[in-house]
Amino acid sequence: MSKADQMQQTPSKANRACKSKKSIDPQNIAPAPYFHYTDRSREVDEDPLTPLAPPYRIPNFLVKLFCILSRDDLRHIIKWLPHGRSWRIIDPVEFEMSVIPTYFGHSSMNSFLRQVNGWGFKRMTQGRNKNSYYNEYFLRGLPHLCKKAPRPSNVASIYVDSKYEPDMYAI
């Protein structure tokens, strides 16, 4: 088989990336304001004696992020939105220069955002929540949900059309 034939049969990396993103079928989503979002705010901690991070181990990304968002002195840099279901970086430059190195041992915003995406956070693209990030297992005042949060594997990411973003203020 010639090189040209092989190239025609093998999809390009860009084509594979596009094909690996699944779209949400509008017929399989919940009605507004939820759409694809599951409200976990009423879930209780089944094992309240289990700490968020095991003793003598470095806390995982979610626990570190929860601690950052809980600090009053960092609210001018990063904060929860009023509904407590998503958070936003207010001052990206200050966040990259002071917060990321302190908590994550590097100073790369791109690395931080890769971790955010790797833990299943979705970015809001419109409305009052624009440029905020949310995850069903990451809610203000409910740190025990971090213990239940799965780290998504390398499965295809799900593309969420902006018209199906949950309305966090209505939930």
Side-chain angles (χ1 to χ4, degrees):
M1 184 181 290
S2 73
K3 190 91 163 165
D5 291 335
Q6 286 177 346
M7 289 182 74
Q8 285 179 343
Q9 288 183 346
T10 307
S12 71
K13 195 173 193 178
N15 287 343
R16 283 193 308 262
C18 289
K19 289 178 183 176
S20 69
K21 288 196 176 215
K22 298 178 186 173
S23 286
I24 292 182
D25 181 7
Q27 295 161 355
N28 293 334
I29 59 175
Y34 295 93
F35 297 116
H36 65 278
Y37 182 84
T38 302
D39 183 10
R40 301 195 183 279
S41 64
R42 298 189 196 319
E43 290 185 17
V44 297
D45 190 356
E46 287 122 18
D47 189 6
L49 298 178
T50 301
L52 293 178
Y56 309 110
R57 297 213 33 220
I58 297 172
N60 71 23
F61 177 79
L62 290 182
V63 174
K64 289 179 184 180
L65 183 57
F66 204 93
C67 289
I68 292 168
L69 286 162
S70 298
R71 290 187 51 183
D72 290 335
D73 60 326
L74 297 178
R75 286 200 179 143
H76 66 286
I77 301 172
I78 183 173
K79 69 177 182 177
W80 289 104
L81 292 189
H83 47 68
R85 295 178 183 276
S86 65
W87 52 272
R88 179 182 295 143
I89 297 172
I90 307 301
D91 186 346
V93 174
E94 184 68 24
F95 184 75
E96 187 172 21
M97 289 174 43
S98 63
V99 178
I100 293 176
T102 302
Y103 283 87
F104 302 103
H106 60 81
S107 59
S108 170
M109 181 65 95
N110 288 336
S111 263
F112 174 79
L113 292 176
R114 249 191 319 275
Q115 285 187 295
V116 166
N117 294 324
W119 276 95
F121 283 90
K122 302 282 187 243
R123 186 171 65 89
M124 302 293 271
T125 60
Q126 63 183 5
R128 295 184 284 181
N129 296 316
K130 186 174 183 173
N131 292 327
S132 70
Y133 293 87
Y134 70 95
N135 182 321
E136 297 172 357
Y137 293 97
F138 199 76
L139 304 176
R140 181 180 54 213
L142 302 173
H144 68 275
L145 291 177
C146 293
K147 293 189 281 188
K148 297 180 178 182
R151 174 144 172 120
S153 60
N154 291 335
V155 297
S157 61
I158 296 176
Y159 169 73
V160 179
D161 190 345
S162 62
K163 66 183 176 184
Y164 297 116
E165 290 178 350
D167 182 359
M168 300 300 187
Y169 287 93
I171 296 176

